[in-house]
Amino acid sequence: MIAQGARRAPALAVKSMGSGARLTSAFATDQRRSRSQPNQARPILRSIDDQLLGFGALVLTGGGSTRMGADKAVMDWLGLTAVERVAALAAAAGAEPVFTVGMRAYGLPHLRDDEAGAGPVGGVLAGARALLAAGRPRALVLAVDAPTLRLEDLRPLLANPGAGAAYDGLHLPMVVTLNALPSDARVDWPIGRLVERAGLIRLPCGEAARQRIRGANTPEEREALLNQLREDLAAPG
């Protein structure tokens, strides 16, 4: 279990989500027009414990974006930036609070990484302390480079009991029960090691969904996902 007092808690550089209503509305419109399952804008509640305690979300934004050639968080995805899309997805799934975690803030509630360039585990650990302090025992952890994720992609993870879950071969997104995080976790660990040590279950991932779950790290991958998003939004129903 991660000890709440083991490290100095990060300063909560929380900024107002003044554009939150706009983001949620725009995202919900996209979701209704996509090929997702009906009624997916409703919060996903796993159990009575989730209804009482809820879960929070961490949107990891600390990557260097070297292969993309530009900051992935602020790239446009049909009218919303990547970070706006991912944060809106987390809120639509029922997460509260939703933090971005990294060295930069993007006008959304924000936590700073403990150590610049240390990798995603540092963001998870910083976010875990903040969520535990907010009384949230579970975290939905998302990467900013997967802005075309759908709520249907998150449902199997959120429905999984126990320590949590991630998809086979893909470390993010993940859902993790925060007291399952190992007390000796270090910010420089590979994210796969954290997934393994926390005891997360690996779920199968269909090939049709794998690329949007993996996200875009290059301009070519981004263009492919944008084309798919355009097709989804243009589809009837």
Side-chain angles (χ1 to χ4, degrees):
M1 174 179 178
I2 183 171
Q4 295 186 52
R7 296 170 180 261
R8 180 179 60 84
L12 301 190
V14 178
K15 298 194 175 184
S16 171
M17 250 182 124
S19 59
R22 178 182 67 84
L23 297 185
T24 302
S25 175
F27 180 82
T29 299
D30 282 1
Q31 292 284 299
R32 286 194 298 270
R33 293 168 59 197
S34 73
R35 294 174 181 170
S36 304
Q37 299 175 9
N39 300 322
Q40 61 181 0
R42 297 176 182 173
I44 303 167
L45 297 175
R46 183 178 61 88
S47 66
I48 189 66
D49 290 337
D50 280 346
Q51 295 183 52
L52 294 174
L53 299 174
F55 64 95
L58 308 173
V59 181
L60 305 184
T61 65
S65 301
T66 53
R67 285 184 288 169
M68 185 66 77
D71 187 349
K72 290 180 285 189
V74 297
M75 299 190 84
D76 179 74
W77 291 78
L78 305 188
L80 293 174
T81 65
V83 70
E84 288 172 340
R85 277 192 174 274
V86 178
L89 172 68
E96 198 284 320
V98 177
F99 291 116
T100 63
V101 190
M103 298 309 291
R104 286 187 58 187
Y106 296 96
L108 301 171
H110 174 243
L111 304 169
R112 285 181 62 86
D113 278 337
D114 285 346
E115 185 178 327
V121 172
V124 174
L125 296 179
R129 293 194 299 273
L131 291 179
L132 285 170
R136 298 297 186 265
R138 302 176 82 220
L140 169 64
V141 186
L142 302 158
V144 76
D145 50 14
T148 62
L149 275 171
R150 301 173 183 174
L151 285 169
E152 66 193 69
D153 301 325
L154 303 182
R155 281 195 173 92
L157 303 176
L158 288 163
N160 202 277
Y167 284 112
D168 188 32
L170 301 169
H171 304 314
L172 297 173
M174 73 163 96
V175 171
V176 59
T177 299
L178 297 177
N179 66 12
L181 293 173
S183 60
D184 61 343
R186 295 173 52 89
V187 298
D188 57 353
W189 276 13
I191 187 70
R193 184 178 182 185
L194 186 74
V195 169
E196 179 181 357
R197 287 284 307 278
L200 271 59
I201 292 172
R202 291 292 192 172
L203 302 180
C205 178
E207 286 306 312
R210 183 170 291 273
Q211 186 55 58
R212 71 171 178 264
I213 293 173
R214 184 188 304 276
N217 289 298
T218 67
E220 294 77 16
E221 291 172 347
R222 175 174 178 266
E223 189 59 32
L225 288 178
L226 275 171
N227 287 337
Q228 184 61 62
L229 182 61
R230 293 185 186 101
E231 291 178 12
D232 289 347
L233 296 181

